[in-house]
C-alpha cells in the first residue's frame, strides 16, 4: 500500500488530556502529524480535531479505530484530499518601507490574491488563505525581500459528502 495524505476528523467532548492521548497514538506508530487544528464544531459543546497525516490507508484505519476507543471521542472519520474542501491561512510580516519602495511587492500581493490586514510605520502584514502550495509559493516570492515574521495555520477542512455526526448525536440523546 502506498502512502497518501489523509485528513482525520475527530469529534469529541472537550476534555483535558485528550490531545495528549491522541498524539500518543501517532507517536507509538511513528507517524508524523503534518497539521493539527482543534476548534469548536458545528455541534454545541463538541470539539473537532483536524489531523493531517501521510500514511497508508491500513494505518489510518487503525489510527481512527484507536482514536475512537478514547472515552471522550464521539466519532472519528478519515478522508483523502479529493473528498474534502480544505485550506490553510498564513500571515507574513514585512518591513513597511518595501510596500512603498518595491513596486513588485504590490504586484505579488495582487497576483497571489492576498490582502494587507494592517499597516504601521515599521511593518505591514499580509494575509493569505488557500492551499499549502499557494502559501509556499507566496513565501518564496516574498523571501528575497525579507520576511520579518511568518506563521501558517493547520489545515481546516470540511467533507464534500455529508458526515453523519449530527444524526449520530441525535440518536445518542
Amino acid at each position: 500500500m502506498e502512502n497518501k495524505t489523509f485528513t482525520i476528523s475527530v469529534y469529541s467532548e472537550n476534555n483535558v488530556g485528550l490531545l495528549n492521548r491522541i498524539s500518543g497514538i501517532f507517536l507509538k506508530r511513528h507517524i508524523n502529524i503534518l497539521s493539527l487544528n482543534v476548534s469548536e464544531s458545528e455541534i454545541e459543546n463538541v470539539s473537532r480535531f483536524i489531523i493531517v497525516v501521510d500514511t497508508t490507508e491500513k494505518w489510518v484505519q487503525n489510527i481512527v479505530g484507536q482514536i475512537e476507543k478514547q472515552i471522550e471521542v464521539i466519532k472519528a472519520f478519515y478522508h483523502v484530499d479529493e473528498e474534502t474542501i480544505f485550506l490553510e491561512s498564513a500571515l507574513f510580516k514585512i518591513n513597511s518601507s518595501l510596500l512603498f519602495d518595491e513596486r513588485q511587492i504590490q504586484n505579488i500581493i495582487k497576483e497571489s490574491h492576498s490582502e494587507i490586514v494592517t499597516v504601521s510605520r515599521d511593518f505591514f502584514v499580509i494575509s493569505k488563505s488557500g492551499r499549502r502550495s499557494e502559501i509556499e509559493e507566496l513565501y518564496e516570492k516574498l523571501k528575497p525581500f525579507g520576511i520579518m515574521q511568518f506563521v501558517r495555520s493547520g489545515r481546516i477542512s470540511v467533507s464534500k459528502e455529508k458526515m453523519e455526526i449530527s444524526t449520530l448525536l441525535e440518536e445518542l440523546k
Side-chain angles (χ1 to χ4, degrees):
M1 292 184 115
E2 70 179 69
N3 280 14
K4 287 183 176 177
T5 300
F6 291 95
T7 301
I8 300 170
S9 296
V10 180
Y11 287 85
S12 73
E13 298 172 20
N14 189 8
N15 288 352
V16 174
L18 180 59
L19 176 58
N20 192 30
R21 290 194 309 279
I22 288 175
S23 65
I25 292 168
F26 292 92
L27 177 65
K28 283 187 235 173
R29 289 161 180 76
H30 301 285
I31 295 175
N32 188 37
I33 295 174
L34 302 175
S35 173
L36 172 66
N37 187 9
V38 183
S39 69
E40 297 172 335
S41 74
E42 66 276 17
I43 304 156
E44 190 174 340
N45 298 320
V46 174
S47 294
R48 184 173 180 189
F49 292 69
I50 302 291
I51 306 165
V52 180
V53 294
D54 189 39
T55 190
T56 65
E57 187 160 8
K58 181 180 182 218
W59 275 110
V60 83
Q61 288 172 344
N62 291 341
I63 289 166
V64 166
Q66 287 297 307
I67 289 171
E68 285 188 328
K69 288 181 181 177
Q70 301 300 310
I71 194 137
E72 304 93 333
V73 172
I74 299 162
K75 186 70 179 155
F77 304 88
Y78 71 91
H79 297 95
V80 293
D81 286 353
E82 296 77 29
E83 298 171 331
T84 63
I85 299 161
F86 61 91
L87 60 84
E88 297 179 4
S89 294
L91 296 175
F92 300 84
K93 182 177 173 184
I94 312 284
N95 187 317
S96 280
S97 65
L98 294 170
L99 187 58
F100 306 104
D101 298 342
E102 293 288 343
R103 207 74 169 133
Q104 192 177 356
I105 291 272
Q106 293 175 25
N107 292 336
I108 290 170
I109 293 167
K110 185 177 178 182
E111 290 166 3
S112 67
H113 303 288
S114 304
E115 63 181 42
I116 298 172
V117 292
T118 191
V119 177
S120 76
R121 183 180 319 265
D122 299 322
F123 65 87
F124 68 101
V125 176
I126 300 169
S127 171
K128 169 70 179 156
S129 292
R131 300 263 174 144
R132 179 170 283 218
S133 59
E134 296 170 330
I135 292 170
E136 288 172 350
E137 182 181 332
L138 179 58
Y139 182 90
E140 290 304 318
K141 287 180 179 178
L142 292 173
K143 190 175 176 181
F145 298 99
I147 298 171
M148 297 169 72
Q149 288 184 37
F150 168 74
V151 65
R152 178 177 50 219
S153 73
R155 177 182 285 193
I156 55 174
S157 170
V158 293
S159 65
K160 290 180 181 177
E161 296 295 318
K162 181 179 178 184
M163 292 189 9
E164 300 298 328
I165 186 71
S166 297
T167 306
L168 177 68
L169 287 175
E170 287 298 319
E171 291 171 4
L172 294 175
K173 286 184 180 179

